[in-house]
Amino acid sequence: VSGLEYDKNMINVIKNSKADIIIMHSRGTPETMDKLTEYKNIADEIYEELYKKIEYLNSEGIENKRIIIDTGFGFAKNIEQNFELLKRIREFNSLNVRHLAGVSRKRFLQSIAQNKTIEEFDDITMLTSFYLMQSNVDLIRVHNVKKTKTALELYKKLFIGKDLIFEFDS
């Protein structure tokens, strides 16, 4: 979640591993990030920050096929900024790396819920996951896999040519 900021030695771990790396956008620490939400243009600034991190990894010999970006929904972003980022999520496809989104049960989605129940949060997550698949996001982190899988199976039926892989963590 630190986007290579917490531990400067992380690049050596990455270079000595064959594992893929997820670089998430955030600012500050979990304790300070809610106070670091000032952006002139949120999507453009996050894009630029992730672009620079990809360039850095490339300069260290890490190929794009090993890199996954995460725009960091909920991390150093307020409710309106998260919705703006969601609306512009397709723009990140031009970074030419895989893209992960973790929106499940996030506060910004909960803000539109009527009854504030877990079931309702999962319904909103399911709809958002469908939108993310339409936006060519490669990986989606969710809490309720079964409900989201149903939405993504519908996506698969409607949009030919997208192979879906479901992985379950227990």
Side-chain angles (χ1 to χ4, degrees), residues 37-52:
T37 60
E38 191 167 320
Y39 299 87
K40 290 179 184 169
N41 184 314
I42 189 157
D44 290 350
E45 289 178 51
I46 292 171
Y47 186 99
E48 183 66 26
E49 289 176 37
L50 290 171
Y51 176 82
K52 287 178 181 176

Side-chain angles (χ1 to χ4, degrees), residues 150-163:
T150 301
L152 298 184
E153 286 295 341
L154 175 60
Y155 173 85
K156 185 177 177 181
K157 294 282 187 197
L158 295 174
F159 300 95
I160 300 168
K162 183 80 172 177
D163 293 329

Side-chain angles (χ1 to χ4, degrees), residues 101-106 109-110 121-122 125 141-144:
V103 296
S104 185
R105 300 181 185 169
K106 293 285 183 168
L109 292 180
Q110 293 175 5
F121 297 158
D122 289 345
T125 297
R141 186 197 57 77
V142 299
H143 290 88
N144 189 327

Side-chain angles (χ1 to χ4, degrees), residues 72-117:
F73 287 101
F75 287 78
K77 296 153 192 82
N78 65 33
I79 290 171
E80 295 80 19
Q81 291 166 337
N82 280 292
F83 280 114
E84 179 64 21
L85 187 58
L86 187 61
K87 285 191 268 186
R88 294 184 59 192
I89 202 70
R90 285 181 174 92
E91 295 173 29
F92 292 86
N93 296 337
S94 67
L95 290 170
N96 297 315
V97 295
R98 287 174 289 160
H99 189 174
L100 174 137
V103 296
S104 185
R105 300 181 185 169
K106 293 285 183 168
R107 279 183 288 177
F108 82 101
L109 292 180
Q110 293 175 5
S111 72
I112 62 172
Q114 301 297 313
N115 299 315
K116 309 288 188 210
T117 64

Side-chain angles (χ1 to χ4, degrees), residues 121-131 147-148 150-152:
F121 297 158
D122 289 345
D123 288 342
I124 295 168
T125 297
M126 174 183 63
L127 293 168
T128 306
S129 297
F130 191 91
Y131 172 77
K147 185 169 281 206
T148 303
T150 301
L152 298 184

Side-chain angles (χ1 to χ4, degrees), residues 133 136-140 152-153 155-157 159-167:
M133 287 297 296
N136 294 318
V137 170
D138 301 290
L139 305 158
I140 303 169
L152 298 184
E153 286 295 341
Y155 173 85
K156 185 177 177 181
K157 294 282 187 197
F159 300 95
I160 300 168
K162 183 80 172 177
D163 293 329
L164 302 179
I165 300 171
F166 298 102
E167 295 183 12

Side-chain angles (χ1 to χ4, degrees), residues 11-60:
I11 191 64
N12 294 320
V13 174
I14 296 165
K15 287 183 352 183
N16 292 319
S17 165
K18 294 183 182 185
D20 293 345
I21 176 173
I22 299 172
I23 302 174
M24 189 180 88
H25 176 271
S26 187
R27 289 181 171 173
T29 65
E31 296 78 30
T32 64
M33 67 181 175
D34 286 339
K35 296 177 182 127
L36 301 172
T37 60
E38 191 167 320
Y39 299 87
K40 290 179 184 169
N41 184 314
I42 189 157
D44 290 350
E45 289 178 51
I46 292 171
Y47 186 99
E48 183 66 26
E49 289 176 37
L50 290 171
Y51 176 82
K52 287 178 181 176
K53 289 183 188 230
I54 293 166
E55 276 191 326
Y56 169 67
L57 288 169
N58 291 161
S59 75
E60 293 290 333

